[in-house]
Amino acid sequence: MHVRPAKFFDENGRRLDGRLPDEMRPVDMKVGVLSNADGSAIVSYGKTKVLAAVYGPREPLQKYTVLPDRASLFVRYHMAPFSTEERKSPVPTRREVEISKVLREALEPVVITELFPRTVIEVYVEVLQSDGGTRTASATAASLALADAGIPMRALVAGVAIGKVDNVVVLDLNEPEDNFGEADMPIVAAPDLGLITLFQLNGVMTVEETQKGLDMALKAISELVEKEKQTLRSSIEEVDVE
Ligand code: ADP
C-alpha cells in the first residue's frame, strides 16, 4: 500500500474495513499445526497471519549461549518473502532483528526459564501474510506455541496495537492505518499478572489519547488471552478417567 487513502472513516465513523474505532479484526487461533515442533500455533488478525514454532528446552548448538541458572530464550521473527505486496528479501533486516529482540523481552517475564538451566528454548515466528500488527500477532502466536510445547509459564501474553488515524484513537491497525496514521503503539501484556511486557510508540499522541488507547488495548488483550485459553483447552483431547 503506497498511496494514502483519501479518507480513513466513512460518514458513519467506520474504518476502511468497516470496523468501529475500538473494534478488533476477526481473530483466529490454532495450536499444534506443525508435527515436528514441540509446540506451534497459527494466529490471524484479519489478513495478518503468523506461524510460531517452539523447540526445546534442548541443548544449545552454540555452547556460549548457555546460562548456568536458567534456559536461554531465543526468538527469531521473520517475514516470508511472499508475505508482503512487493516481494521482501528473505535476508533478515534490521527491523526483523529489532522485533526478534523486543519479542524475546516480551516473552521472558512469563516463561519459567529457571526450571531448565543450560538449555535453550527456541521460538521461531514466520509472518505468512502481513497487513499491520505483525509483531503483536507474533507475541500472541508465540505465547500459544510455548504453552502448546508444555513450557511452564507464569501466564499467557497477547498483543495488539493501538494508534491514531485522522485524530481518532483506533484499535488493531491494519497496514494503511499503520503506514499513514499519525501514531502506532504496539502493546503486549500478561493480564493475569498485571504486566505490560512490550510498549512501543511510533509517532506523537497526547497523554489522554495514550491513556484511552492503553485502556482499549488492555481490554482487547484480556479477550485475546481468554481466546488463547479456550484454544489450548479445546486442543487437549478429553481423557476418561475410570
Ligand atoms: P507491525 O507489523 O508490528 O505493525 P511495522 O509497524 O514495522 O510492524 O510494520 C507495519 C506493516 O508494514 C507490516 O505489518 C507490514 O504489513 C508492512 N511492512 C513492514 N515491513 C515491510 C517490508 N519490508 N515490505 C513490505 N511491507 C512491510
Side-chain angles (χ1 to χ4, degrees):
M1 171 71 64
H2 305 292
V3 183
R4 189 184 200 281
K7 53 180 188 168
F8 282 98
F9 295 95
D10 68 12
E11 55 285 0
N12 300 316
R14 288 194 178 265
R15 293 150 74 179
L16 294 172
D17 53 13
R19 286 182 292 155
L20 290 169
D22 63 350
E23 210 175 314
M24 186 83 213
R25 288 174 284 185
V27 175
D28 196 41
M29 299 180 182
K30 276 193 195 74
V31 291
V33 292
L34 298 174
S35 52
N36 282 0
D38 293 314
S40 57
I42 193 155
V43 168
S44 49
Y45 293 0
K47 287 195 278 179
T48 288
K49 194 181 273 273
V50 304
L51 172 70
V54 168
Y55 296 84
R58 66 183 180 185
E59 204 179 318
L61 271 178
Q62 289 137 332
K63 296 286 184 288
Y64 63 86
T65 59
V66 156
L67 298 172
D69 56 340
R70 61 196 148 98
S72 47
L73 194 61
F74 169 87
V75 179
R76 182 219 195 222
Y77 162 100
H78 183 252
M79 280 178 119
F82 54 82
S83 66
T84 51
E85 212 169 88
E86 269 170 42
R87 181 184 178 277
K88 182 209 155 272
S89 159
V91 180
T93 58
R94 283 176 55 170
R95 173 180 170 275
E96 285 162 305
V97 173
E98 182 230 312
I99 295 180
S100 300
K101 172 184 177 284
V102 297
L103 282 176
R104 173 170 53 75
E105 290 167 350
L107 297 166
E108 249 166 359
V110 295
V111 180
I112 310 181
T113 51
E114 310 86 273
L115 293 176
F116 307 103
R118 310 189 65 78
T119 66
V120 62
I121 298 168
E122 294 162 20
V123 182
Y124 296 90
V125 184
E126 191 72 17
V127 177
L128 303 177
Q129 192 163 272
S130 76
D131 185 34
T134 63
R135 79 190 65 200
T136 48
S138 296
T140 305
S143 169
L144 273 171
L146 283 162
D148 184 51
I151 308 276
M153 293 163 83
R154 296 182 177 85
L156 294 165
V157 295
V160 75
I162 64 103
K164 185 163 68 162
V165 178
D166 279 353
N167 276 318
V168 179
V169 178
V170 295
L171 179 70
D172 186 30
L173 289 79
N174 57 27
E175 187 170 323
E177 292 174 334
D178 185 302
N179 289 355
F180 300 107
E182 295 97 77
D184 161 31
M185 189 167 94
I187 294 165
V188 178
D192 293 344
L193 299 176
L195 287 181
I196 292 174
T197 62
L198 180 148
F199 192 108
Q200 296 182 291
L201 173 62
N202 185 9
V204 177
M205 298 213 292
T206 65
V207 173
E208 288 82 51
E209 287 164 347
T210 309
Q211 247 145 20
K212 184 176 176 191
L214 183 59
D215 288 346
M216 262 155 79
L218 292 178
K219 183 170 174 282
I221 288 171
S222 292
E223 288 164 10
L224 286 164
V225 165
E226 273 317 301
K227 197 172 168 72
E228 284 184 42
K229 290 179 186 171
Q230 281 166 19
T231 305
L232 289 163
R233 258 186 233 118
S234 56
S235 76
I236 301 166
E237 284 174 357
E238 275 190 32
V239 180
D240 285 334
V241 181
E242 298 202 359

